[in-house]
Amino acid sequence: MSLDPYQLRKDFPILSQTMPNGKPLVYLDNGATSQKPLSVIQATNDYYAKENANIHRGVYYLSQHATELFERTRIKTSHFFQAQCAKAIIFTRGTTDAINLVAQTYGRVNVSEGDEIVLSVQEHHSNLVPWQMLAREKKAFLKFIPILPDTTYDLSKLSEIITKRTKIVAISQMSNVTGTVHDLRKIIDRARQVGAKVLVDGAQAACHMPIHLVDLDVDFYAFSAHKMLGPTGVGVLFGKEEILEAMPPWLGGGDMIESVELESSTYAALPAKLEAGTPNIAGVIGFSHALDYLQKVGMQNIKNHERMLTEYALERFQKIGGLTIYGTEDLDKRGGVISFTLDGIHPHDVGSILDEEGVAIRVGHHCCQPLMKQFQIPGTCRASFYFYNTKEDIDVLIKSIEKVKSIFGRVVRK
C-alpha cells in the first residue's frame, strides 16, 4: 500500500500558504521539525478552550478528564513503539532533555573515575555535550566510534572501543546530517558482552520508520514529538523498567513525590518519579493525535515514500556540476535527508537564495561541528523530506540550486 502525498497535504494548512515574496512554500526542513496536521492543531487548541486543568491532582471533572487524555497518550506511545510497558515511557521536553535526564541520573550514579562513555564522531550536540559534562565531573573518558567514508559506523575495532570499563554507549540511529541509518545490532551486542548500557538517540529515526523497542533491546531510547507531527516541547524517554526504577529523580518538586517531611522525602513510583512539575499537557495531548495520524498513514508507507523521494533527488542532484553529496549511496542505509555543498559557494548564500524561491532548507553545521571538522567544511545545505513532500518539491529545489549557480557564475565572471 502506498500513500498519496497530494491528498495528505490538504491536512497541513501551512503547506498551502504563499511566502511574503509571492512564492509557494516548499518545505524541506523536516529534519529540524515537521509540520502539523489540522487534527493536532485542533486538539491542542481544544485542550486550552475546553479541557484546561492540571493533571494528577484534581478530583473535579476537568482535571480527571485531562489526566485521562494525558495518560492515554502514554499508553498509545508504548503501543506505537512496542515498548516494554507504559510505565517505561517518560515524557520530557524533548530529545535533549531526555538524554540529559539519563546522563544526570543513571550516569551520575553508575559512572566513576576512569570509566568510559562511548559515542560516535557524528553525534548531534545533544548526544555529545551532556556526556562531556558528565565525563568532566566524574573524571571519566570519552571514546568514539569512527565512521567510514560512506558515513556508516566503522566497527572494525569495536572490541577495543567498547571495553569492560565502558558504562554507557550513546549513539544515534539515523544521522541528522547525512541521513545514514545505522545497523546497531553489533554495537548493542558488544555492549551486552561487557555489561554496558545503551542509549539510542532516535530523534531522526522515530519519525521515519517503524521502531520496535522490545526487538531493538536497548536500555534507553529518546525522541521528540515535534519531528513526528506533534507540538514542540514534548519528548519521550523510553527506559527499561528495572533500570528506571533504580534511577534517582533528576528534578525535585510537585507530582514526583510520595510523601514530604521538612528534612526528607520519598518518591513516587514510575513514571511520576521522573516527571516533576506541571508538564506540557496540551503538547502531550496533541502528540496523541499525531500518533493517530502516523498510525493511519503507516510508518512503513512513510519509509517507502521517503526512499522514493530520496532516490529521485539523488538522481537529479548527481547531474549538477560542482555539487558534493555527503552520505552513503546505499538507499537501504539512508533516510530522507540529503546534505550537500556547492563548490565555492557558502551554504548560507545557498539557503538565502533558495528562500527567495520559497524553498526552506537547513544550512550550517546542524549541531554536528565535530563531523563538519572531519569533512573539512564549515557546514552543508540540508534538504530533509517527509511523507507530504512530492517530486515537484524536489524539482523546485533543483531549479533553485541551478539559479544559485547561475548567480554566482555571473559574479565570478565579473
Side-chain angles (χ1 to χ4, degrees), residues 39-80:
S39 60
V40 171
I41 297 169
Q42 288 177 336
T44 306
N45 288 341
D46 284 348
Y47 167 75
Y48 286 119
K50 304 174 184 178
E51 302 156 347
N52 182 42
N54 215 325
I55 60 172
H56 298 150
R57 17 197 131 175
V59 297
Y60 56 94
Y61 170 77
L62 281 180
S63 178
Q64 294 290 313
H65 182 56
T67 299
E68 180 184 356
L69 294 174
F70 186 91
E71 291 302 329
R72 193 184 299 166
T73 308
R74 193 188 310 276
I75 295 170
K76 188 178 295 183
T77 304
S78 176
H79 291 164
F80 189 91

Side-chain angles (χ1 to χ4, degrees), residues 210-223:
I211 302 294
H212 302 164
L213 289 174
V214 171
D215 292 342
L216 192 59
D217 188 32
V218 294
D219 302 291
F220 304 100
Y221 192 94
F223 59 94

Side-chain angles (χ1 to χ4, degrees), residues 19 21 23 25-29 317 323 338 340-342 344-366 379-383 396-397 400-405 407-408:
M19 295 291 93
N21 58 14
K23 299 286 187 177
L25 172 64
V26 176
Y27 186 77
L28 298 174
D29 192 22
F317 269 60
L323 186 146
I338 300 177
F340 64 94
T341 54
L342 287 170
I345 308 175
H346 197 282
H348 288 176
D349 293 324
V350 177
S352 296
I353 296 173
L354 263 57
D355 179 53
E356 294 176 359
E357 301 302 309
V359 179
I361 65 166
R362 194 71 157 206
V363 297
H365 54 66
H366 314 298
T380 71
C381 307
R382 185 188 70 186
V396 175
L397 170 65
S400 301
I401 292 173
E402 294 289 5
K403 179 181 178 180
V404 174
K405 291 188 62 181
I407 290 173
F408 275 84

Side-chain angles (χ1 to χ4, degrees), residues 54-240:
N54 215 325
I55 60 172
H56 298 150
R57 17 197 131 175
V59 297
Y60 56 94
Y61 170 77
L62 281 180
S63 178
Q64 294 290 313
H65 182 56
T67 299
E68 180 184 356
L69 294 174
F70 186 91
E71 291 302 329
R72 193 184 299 166
T73 308
R74 193 188 310 276
I75 295 170
K76 188 178 295 183
T77 304
S78 176
H79 291 164
F80 189 91
F81 288 96
Q82 299 189 30
Q84 185 182 20
C85 63
K87 288 195 297 182
I89 299 297
I90 308 299
F91 287 120
T92 67
R93 293 176 297 173
T95 307
T96 301
D97 196 48
I99 294 171
N100 275 273
L101 189 160
V102 176
Q104 296 302 316
T105 54
Y106 182 86
R108 272 186 170 171
V109 171
N110 293 282
V111 175
S112 303
E113 183 174 351
D115 286 341
E116 300 167 352
I117 301 167
V118 173
L119 314 168
S120 84
V121 300
Q122 55 109 68
E123 295 306 318
H124 189 282
H125 296 166
S126 294
N127 197 34
L128 177 60
V129 177
W131 305 112
Q132 292 175 342
M133 295 168 67
L134 179 65
R136 189 179 304 115
E137 175 185 336
K138 294 292 184 176
K139 297 182 180 179
F141 296 100
L142 297 177
K143 297 173 75 175
F144 298 92
I145 299 172
I147 58 173
L148 296 167
D150 69 351
T151 70
T152 58
Y153 288 142
D154 181 356
L155 305 181
S156 61
K157 297 182 179 179
L158 193 61
S159 61
E160 299 175 21
I161 297 172
I162 301 177
T163 73
K164 292 181 179 179
R165 296 296 299 174
T166 303
K167 289 295 188 291
I168 297 172
V169 179
I171 49 173
S172 58
Q173 189 172 13
M174 173 177 165
S175 169
N176 70 302
V177 175
T178 64
T180 303
V181 178
H182 301 285
D183 183 356
L184 304 180
R185 189 76 268 147
K186 289 183 180 180
I187 296 174
I188 296 169
D189 290 346
R190 176 57 185 168
R192 294 281 174 262
Q193 290 173 5
V194 300
K197 303 303 182 188
V198 179
L199 177 146
V200 170
D201 175 356
Q204 294 297 325
C207 41
H208 298 297
M209 63 191 70
I211 302 294
H212 302 164
L213 289 174
V214 171
D215 292 342
L216 192 59
D217 188 32
V218 294
D219 302 291
F220 304 100
Y221 192 94
F223 59 94
S224 297
H226 74 93
K227 295 182 190 293
M228 48 193 311
L229 309 185
T232 57
V234 176
V236 172
L237 172 67
F238 160 81
K240 288 187 174 178

